Amino acid sequence: MSSLEGENVHYNFADSAPGGLVPSINQPTLSNNFGEISSLDKVRDILFGGQMRELEKKFTRLEERLLKECNSLRDETKKRLDYLENYIKNEIEAVNDQVKSEQSKREEALTTLSEEQKNINNSLERKFSQFDEQTATKTRELREQILNQSQSLQDDIRQKYEEILALLQRESQEIRSEKTDRSTLAAMFTELAIRLNSRQ
């Protein structure tokens, strides 16, 4: 605590020059005030000196304790933050590794699926090609069979036509021969009738 705290210092001002004020200190009053201040400090030191020193010691110990606690708390906080930072880094690395692993597995799966799709497409193309070839072969064979059957049917029809034609020719000849015999018979009957008529 300041030794001048709570005390009044009196200043007297007098004109030292025209237009200005210069303070003038009353020397006996100031000397008396310093004496009173000194005696008050002694009284205060007697009454409160021990308590003030004890309080200062307590404050000093408390400040040291606070500093130690702050340092300890700072160190502990730093350790925890370092641990937390390492933990977060490890977790992030683990997640990154897991993501990379999953991405690699997915890429492998996609590659496998792509290869399988290519194989399926190639197999389908081969099957379609074989089917086209088989269809062309079957169509060609069917055309040949139809052509052969048509030729055979035409041959049969021609043969039947020739047989029918020959039969018709024979029948026609027979009819013609029968007509000739009838004409001869009629002539004979006519001649006979004439002869019979002449005899009568």
Side-chain angles (χ1 to χ4, degrees), residues 37-52:
I37 289 169
S38 177
S39 63
L40 285 173
D41 287 338
K42 289 179 181 179
V43 171
R44 286 176 185 167
D45 186 52
I46 292 170
L47 293 175
F48 304 107
Q51 292 179 355
M52 293 298 292

Side-chain angles (χ1 to χ4, degrees), residues 181-194:
D181 293 337
R182 288 177 182 176
S183 298
T184 304
L185 184 59
M188 289 175 60
F189 284 140
T190 302
E191 185 179 356
L192 179 61
I194 291 171

Side-chain angles (χ1 to χ4, degrees), residues 116-133:
E116 290 179 355
Q117 185 68 30
K118 287 181 181 178
N119 293 330
I120 291 171
N121 290 334
N122 293 329
S123 177
L124 288 174
E125 287 178 358
R126 286 195 298 271
K127 288 183 178 180
F128 283 135
S129 178
Q130 292 175 358
F131 179 74
D132 289 338
E133 290 177 358

Side-chain angles (χ1 to χ4, degrees), residues 7-52:
E7 299 296 330
N8 295 324
V9 179
H10 299 286
Y11 293 95
N12 292 326
F13 296 93
D15 294 336
S16 60
L21 294 175
V22 176
S24 176
I25 301 173
N26 191 344
Q27 295 295 331
T29 303
L30 185 58
S31 177
N32 290 333
N33 287 334
F34 281 131
E36 291 176 0
I37 289 169
S38 177
S39 63
L40 285 173
D41 287 338
K42 289 179 181 179
V43 171
R44 286 176 185 167
D45 186 52
I46 292 170
L47 293 175
F48 304 107
Q51 292 179 355
M52 293 298 292

Side-chain angles (χ1 to χ4, degrees), residues 34-154:
F34 281 131
E36 291 176 0
I37 289 169
S38 177
S39 63
L40 285 173
D41 287 338
K42 289 179 181 179
V43 171
R44 286 176 185 167
D45 186 52
I46 292 170
L47 293 175
F48 304 107
Q51 292 179 355
M52 293 298 292
R53 284 190 291 275
E54 187 67 23
L55 286 173
E56 287 179 358
K57 289 180 182 179
K58 287 182 179 181
F59 281 133
T60 302
R61 287 195 297 271
L62 182 61
E63 185 178 1
E64 290 175 354
R65 183 177 175 184
L66 286 173
L67 287 174
K68 288 180 181 179
E69 291 292 333
C70 287
N71 290 330
S72 176
L73 182 62
R74 185 181 63 225
D75 294 337
E76 184 68 20
T77 304
K78 188 176 181 302
K79 287 180 182 179
R80 293 192 178 204
L81 288 175
D82 291 338
Y83 174 77
L84 182 61
E85 184 179 1
N86 291 328
Y87 176 77
I88 291 173
K89 286 182 179 179
N90 292 330
E91 288 295 320
I92 290 174
E93 289 178 357
V95 170
N96 287 332
D97 292 337
Q98 185 177 1
V99 169
K100 288 180 181 179
S101 177
E102 290 180 357
Q103 186 175 2
S104 177
K105 289 180 180 178
R106 288 179 181 175
E107 288 177 355
E108 291 177 358
L110 287 174
T111 303
T112 303
L113 288 175
S114 178
E115 291 295 329
E116 290 179 355
Q117 185 68 30
K118 287 181 181 178
N119 293 330
I120 291 171
N121 290 334
N122 293 329
S123 177
L124 288 174
E125 287 178 358
R126 286 195 298 271
K127 288 183 178 180
F128 283 135
S129 178
Q130 292 175 358
F131 179 74
D132 289 338
E133 290 177 358
Q134 291 176 357
T135 303
T137 303
K138 294 293 183 182
T139 303
R140 187 169 56 252
E141 291 177 355
L142 184 61
R143 286 178 180 174
E144 289 178 356
Q145 289 178 0
I146 292 171
L147 182 62
N148 292 330
Q149 288 180 359
S150 176
Q151 187 69 35
S152 176
L153 184 60
Q154 287 179 0

